[in-house]
Amino acid sequence: MQDYDIIVLGGGAAGLMCAAVAGQRGRRVLVLERAAEVGRKIVISGGGRCNFTNIHTAPDRYLSANPHFAKSALSRYTAHDFLALVERHAIAWHEKTLGQLFCDGSARQIVAMLLDECAAAQAAGGQVDVRCGEEIGDVAHVDGRFDVTTPGGTHSAPALVIATGGPSIPKMGASDFAYRLARRFGLRIVEPRPALVPLTLGGEDVLFRELSGVSAPVEARCGRAAFREAALFTHRGLSGPAILQVSSYWRPGDAVAIDFLPGTAPEWLVEAKRRTPRAHLRTVLGERLPDRLAATLAERIGLSGDLGNLPDKRLRAAGQALSDWHFHPNGSEGFAKAEVTLGGIATSELSSRTMEAKAVPGLYAIGEAVDVTGWLGGYNFQWAWASAVAAGNALAEPRG
């Protein structure tokens, strides 16, 4: 049996960050990762360039049963703090849109940075051992210590960190292990469901699947949530950033409203009639939208002939329909295509300052395993960094 101060289950963004922080404060840390290499989700993120944070990070851009839970960690480790770390490692970066920060080069630079931070523990009197290909066989809690058994042996520590994420993208090795383990320790789970996921269409909306590959800037709404970004029609339904964003708020039975011409005055078709009375609806729509989309919308609205021969009332109704087009998704593409997971280990079970389980001293949960889910665009990475730093610092504090 090998003894450590801390065992971290999961070598992803949160797990490595937590290990580095605690290790650099003198703790002996073991990171156990079941995959053949650490940081696999980091490597594929952002098209291989890793959207590692968002400069507009704020608690109101996260979903949770307790919307206040994330405030503490996010305020104590900000996007600017992580950006400073990136710059210390001389990783070139750029801002894309809406505050999203990416590596100029490869996402592997972020993985290498985290491993370098783990290695730096040695100079601080700490130790971080990272072991891959370690399938967890059993986790026992006896006399205040956690014993973790893998094919490589049994490891023991007074502190255990659950950082194995959620079940999104199972082809990368994701699973519900965090929830099963948390339940063994009596922690409540908020029902997990796919988030940041494409939505599927059926019924009367199936016609729009024929537009597969067509993209347009829109405003997508679901309930009170609204996002102005691109929507993409797919062979199964709707995707693109605007749709992925509202998918986190969508529930079966809900409609998704699309404004195909955001920022356009409600009277625009009436004005178009006076300006070009001989134009048809499809023609004026084609000046603002991709041709295939314009043709489909014009067909569904059903206004034929010259605009000049159509009553203003019908043109206003058509303009209203284009600004508030309701789709009724019949589902989503599930965890296989979801970027993250909504739900997870209930925040009511954890300290917002330390991420420690209130009822199980020494047990911590961080990152995607917890019921805190961010918007698309680097927010979930920032939660991983912030929750990991909160736990890593707490783990380095003297217990008493």
Side-chain angles (χ1 to χ4, degrees):
M1 181 177 290
Q2 293 182 275
D3 288 347
Y4 291 87
D5 298 317
I6 305 157
I7 298 174
V8 177
L9 303 182
L16 291 176
M17 189 70 162
C18 178
V21 169
Q24 289 183 27
R25 292 190 58 186
R27 296 296 182 262
R28 293 173 300 118
V29 187
L30 171 65
V31 178
L32 296 174
E33 168 56 49
R34 65 180 296 206
E37 60 178 350
V38 295
R40 293 181 72 187
K41 277 193 176 181
I42 298 175
V43 170
I44 68 166
S45 67
R49 291 192 173 180
C50 189
N51 179 190
F52 54 79
T53 192
N54 194 297
I55 58 174
H56 300 312
T57 296
D60 64 359
R61 299 186 175 202
Y62 292 83
L63 291 78
S64 174
N66 176 3
H68 302 291
F69 181 84
K71 290 180 178 178
S72 176
L74 291 173
S75 66
R76 288 181 290 130
Y77 191 83
T78 69
H80 296 285
D81 291 324
F82 189 78
L83 181 57
L85 178 63
V86 167
E87 292 183 331
R88 281 204 304 276
H89 284 259
I91 297 174
W93 59 275
H94 61 278
E95 181 180 348
K96 216 168 182 180
T97 58
L98 304 174
Q100 303 169 47
L101 304 190
F102 289 78
C103 298
D104 284 357
S106 168
R108 291 189 179 277
Q109 293 174 284
I110 299 297
V111 178
M113 177 191 77
L114 293 170
L115 290 174
D116 286 346
E117 287 292 305
C118 286
Q122 190 169 1
Q127 171 189 348
V128 178
D129 292 341
V130 179
R131 302 188 186 184
C132 295
E134 293 280 359
E135 195 76 38
I136 306 301
D138 185 46
V139 178
H141 188 212
V142 181
D143 297 330
R145 296 188 70 83
F146 297 89
D147 297 334
V148 180
T149 302
T150 72
T154 299
H155 315 282
S156 181
L160 180 72
V161 181
I162 302 173
T164 52
S168 60
I169 320 182
K171 69 179 182 181
M172 300 299 295
S175 74
D176 65 350
F177 175 84
Y179 312 148
R180 287 184 275 121
L181 182 59
R183 285 191 182 101
R184 283 183 53 189
F185 288 102
L187 305 188
R188 189 173 63 85
I189 304 297
V190 175
E191 179 188 1
R193 55 192 180 93
L196 302 183
V197 63
L199 300 174
T200 57
L201 296 176
E204 293 184 0
D205 292 330
V206 74
L207 168 67
F208 287 88
R209 287 161 47 178
E210 297 175 6
L211 297 175
S212 180
V214 173
S215 176
V218 305
E219 181 178 271
R221 301 186 301 275
C222 187
R224 296 182 179 180
F227 296 91
R228 189 176 291 192
E229 293 189 68
L232 170 70
F233 291 93
T234 74
H235 68 287
R236 297 193 64 188
L238 296 168
S239 188
I243 301 302
L244 297 182
Q245 293 281 35
V246 298
S247 74
S248 295
Y249 296 84
W250 178 82
R251 293 276 191 166
D254 289 347
V256 171
I258 301 288
D259 183 349
F260 284 106
L261 299 167
T264 300
E267 295 282 310
W268 78 275
L269 279 174
V270 175
E271 294 169 2
K273 168 184 172 178
R274 291 166 185 158
R275 190 173 59 253
T276 53
R278 293 188 176 182
H280 287 215
L281 176 61
R282 174 174 175 172
T283 303
V284 295
L285 273 180
E287 294 171 354
R288 296 166 177 255
L289 294 170
D291 188 60
R292 287 167 60 198
L293 176 58
T296 298
L297 291 172
E299 179 185 341
R300 290 296 291 269
I301 289 172
L303 291 182
S304 59
D306 296 347
L307 294 181
N309 293 327
L310 296 171
D312 288 0
K313 182 178 180 180
R314 294 188 66 188
L315 292 176
R316 290 190 186 97
Q320 175 61 31
L322 290 165
S323 67
D324 192 28
W325 198 285
H326 282 218
F327 290 95
H328 293 85
N330 60 7
S332 78
E333 295 198 29
F335 286 116
K337 294 294 179 68
E339 296 200 14
V340 292
T341 304
L342 270 170
I345 298 172
T347 57
S348 59
E349 306 283 357
L350 307 173
S351 161
S352 62
R353 188 184 73 83
T354 66
M355 309 303 295
E356 185 176 17
K358 296 173 182 177
V360 188
L363 180 65
Y364 296 73
I366 57 177
E368 191 183 346
V370 178
D371 174 33
V372 174
T373 306
W375 288 0
L376 182 73
Y379 293 98
N380 288 293
F381 272 126
Q382 186 56 39
W383 168 248
W385 315 134
S387 60
V389 170
N393 282 327
L395 284 158
E397 293 173 1
R399 300 188 70 88

